[in-house]
Amino acid sequence: MKKLIKYMGAITMLLSLTLMYSACKKNGGYYDASEEATPFAGNTYEYLKSKPGIYDSLIVAIDRMGLKQTLMDSSVTLFAVTNPSFQLALRNLNTLRRQSDKDPLFLSNIDGIQLDTMVSYYIIRGKKPTDSLKLQDGLNLASVKIGYPMHAKSTKGSASGEVGAGPEVIEFSNTKKSKFIRNWATSTTASNNIKTKNGIVHVISPDHIFGFDGFVTRLTFVPPPPNLMVTVGGTFSANRENGGGPTSGENSKKVIDGDDHTKFLCDLQGFLTMQFKLKTPEVSSVYTLISANDAQERDPKAWTYEASNDGLNWTELHRVNNFFFEERYQQKVFRCTNTVAYQYYRINITELRSGGTFQLAEWTINKTK
């Protein structure tokens, strides 16, 4: 009897091993659902509509921004944002608004200009399946409408604690127009390579916040009043120039050229004064600074904003200490209580984040509202 039990146990183990081997051989040890996915019979917009309860918010945003036709007849890749991503973004925004006793905002009434930009992040020109994103450095992408620079890279996720042993995911990034990865905002996909008649759909993970990290800041940002350097005009000067001279690529006038992708770079040498003489006296109680593209240690940390009517006697309007830009290409708006019309305005930079090399993308003097 004991021999029979022992024999039956051996047969059972042998059958189990045979079944396990067959299963592994059939799937190659790894099951990739994307390989067997059946293409959707309609266009990309119709695909979204076919999934009620999943993409409702995305459809509302697309319809409001007039992007429906793009998803119906253009060759595009959609990084599809699901309802939870929108819910997270709106919850964060309205929590902040409640603290200021402001009414809540919804997709139907938030600023259309900002919404248009953010929706466009996720719609990429051309078909970009996962295989096209397997380059070592990933692939630079251009969004629809404005060609905003995005980036995507295919990589293997983790499984059972082992890095690279899981399913293939895409790291999808808002580059913020910076070439430095540390400045990017990145999310991952939960599902890839859904094929439609006119494009590819990759589904963004539900823990992603719509708009990346700029949703709340974009919708709470109050733009500065008109730039007096442009509306009134005048003459710019600085007490220090770039080492390459006044015609170099990073000369002093780059700080007032209206392009945040250029910058003024020079040695601080203790302090730096940038001055603007308006054609006629004007009241300014607002000014702005925009951080440059790289090397945050070069950012200004402390300064004074001053005004004069003769260029000799100056009145301090605003003083800043221990200031830090959080991002590259970031515009900061500063306000003071000035009510006097001055012809001269200047900013005196006295301290940098670290080191002795100064840089700044833009400086503006703005009209009082």
Side-chain angles (χ1 to χ4, degrees):
M1 185 65 178
K2 288 183 180 181
K3 288 184 179 181
L4 179 62
I5 294 173
K6 187 175 181 181
Y7 175 76
M8 292 300 293
I11 293 295
T12 301
M13 183 176 290
L14 180 62
L15 287 171
S16 298
L17 290 172
T18 302
L19 289 171
M20 288 175 64
Y21 174 78
S22 298
C24 290
K25 185 176 181 181
K26 179 180 179 181
N27 291 323
Y30 173 71
Y31 178 70
D32 187 353
S34 65
E35 295 297 327
E36 296 183 8
T38 302
F40 181 73
N43 59 52
T44 301
Y45 185 82
E46 290 170 338
Y47 171 77
L48 298 179
K49 295 288 285 186
S50 74
K51 304 292 182 181
I54 299 178
Y55 302 115
D56 308 77
S57 297
L58 180 58
I59 291 169
V60 169
I62 286 169
D63 287 349
R64 187 181 166 201
M65 294 301 102
L67 288 163
K68 176 179 177 179
Q69 199 63 37
T70 299
L71 294 187
M72 292 179 70
D73 58 18
S74 298
S75 176
V76 293
T77 297
L78 173 66
F79 285 84
V81 183
T82 57
N83 290 344
S85 294
F86 284 91
Q87 292 164 1
L88 284 169
L90 288 167
R91 186 183 304 128
N92 292 345
L93 174 64
N94 288 321
T95 297
L96 184 63
R97 289 181 65 82
R98 277 197 301 273
Q99 294 172 359
S100 304
D101 295 322
K102 294 180 179 179
D103 293 333
L105 290 176
F106 306 95
L107 288 177
S108 59
N109 63 353
I110 63 177
D111 185 347
I113 294 176
Q114 304 295 352
L115 181 61
D116 189 43
T117 299
M118 289 185 283
V119 173
S120 294
Y121 289 159
Y122 302 93
I123 308 175
I124 303 301
R125 298 171 181 172
K127 297 179 182 180
K128 308 295 180 184
T130 304
D131 285 348
S132 69
L133 309 175
K134 290 183 177 180
L135 300 174
Q136 183 175 355
D137 295 325
L139 191 66
N140 293 323
L141 307 173
S143 74
V144 296
K145 284 196 174 182
I146 59 174
Y148 188 89
M150 303 293 288
H151 186 274
K153 180 180 179 179
S154 175
T155 184
K156 289 282 189 180
S158 299
S160 302
E162 184 178 348
V163 177
E168 200 158 27
V169 298
I170 298 172
E171 295 177 349
F172 183 55
S173 302
N174 176 358
T175 68
K176 301 182 181 181
K177 300 180 180 179
S178 172
K179 63 182 179 180
F180 298 101
I181 296 175
R182 64 176 180 270
N183 297 327
W184 297 1
T186 300
S187 186
T188 57
T189 55
S191 180
N192 301 336
N193 295 323
I194 301 166
K195 298 176 182 178
T196 69
K197 280 186 174 181
N198 64 309
I200 302 289
V201 178
H202 304 300
V203 183
I204 296 289
S205 297
D207 59 355
H208 168 71
I209 298 177
F210 171 73
F212 290 87
D213 56 0
F215 184 82
V216 172
T217 55
R218 275 181 170 275
L219 295 174
T220 55
F221 175 72
V222 178
N227 179 5
L228 293 171
M229 295 177 178
V230 175
T231 59
V232 176
T235 306
F236 171 84
S237 61
N239 72 324
R240 199 108 42 228
E241 186 53 82
N242 178 270
T247 60
S248 65
E250 296 176 336
N251 69 76
S252 60
K253 289 188 177 180
K254 297 295 184 182
V255 81
I256 62 163
D257 66 357
D259 182 355
D260 63 7
H261 278 59
T262 64
K263 66 183 178 184
F264 174 26
L265 177 74
C266 73
D267 292 330
L268 186 69
Q269 297 182 33
F271 74 98
L272 172 69
T273 299
M274 297 183 294
Q275 176 179 301
F276 198 89
K277 179 184 178 183
L278 296 168
K279 290 181 178 178
T280 58
E282 295 284 345
V283 179
S284 170
S285 61
V286 179
Y287 66 100
T288 75
L289 303 178
I290 299 180
S291 59
N293 64 318
D294 61 4
Q296 62 184 13
E297 65 272 11
R298 299 171 180 170
D299 292 343
K301 182 180 178 181
W303 64 84
T304 57
Y305 182 55
E306 303 173 355
S308 172
N309 267 319
D310 59 9
L312 298 173
N313 301 291
W314 294 87
T315 299
E316 182 178 302
L317 303 178
H318 194 224
R319 178 179 289 268
V320 176
N321 292 293
N322 295 317
F323 174 81
F324 294 93
F325 285 105
E326 296 90 5
E327 301 175 6
R328 302 299 85 199
Y329 305 106
Q330 182 179 32
Q331 182 183 60
K332 287 289 189 177
V333 181
F334 302 92
R335 304 175 191 276
C336 53
T337 57
N338 178 47
T339 58
V340 178
Y342 291 103
Q343 190 164 12
Y344 295 82
Y345 289 91
R346 73 182 185 184
I347 184 168
N348 289 318
I349 311 293
T350 55
E351 186 180 358
L352 306 178
R353 199 158 178 169
S354 66
T357 303
F358 161 84
Q359 70 174 16
L360 190 68
E362 288 290 305
W363 168 48
T364 68
I365 300 167
N366 302 79
K367 184 179 179 66
T368 297
K369 284 188 176 181

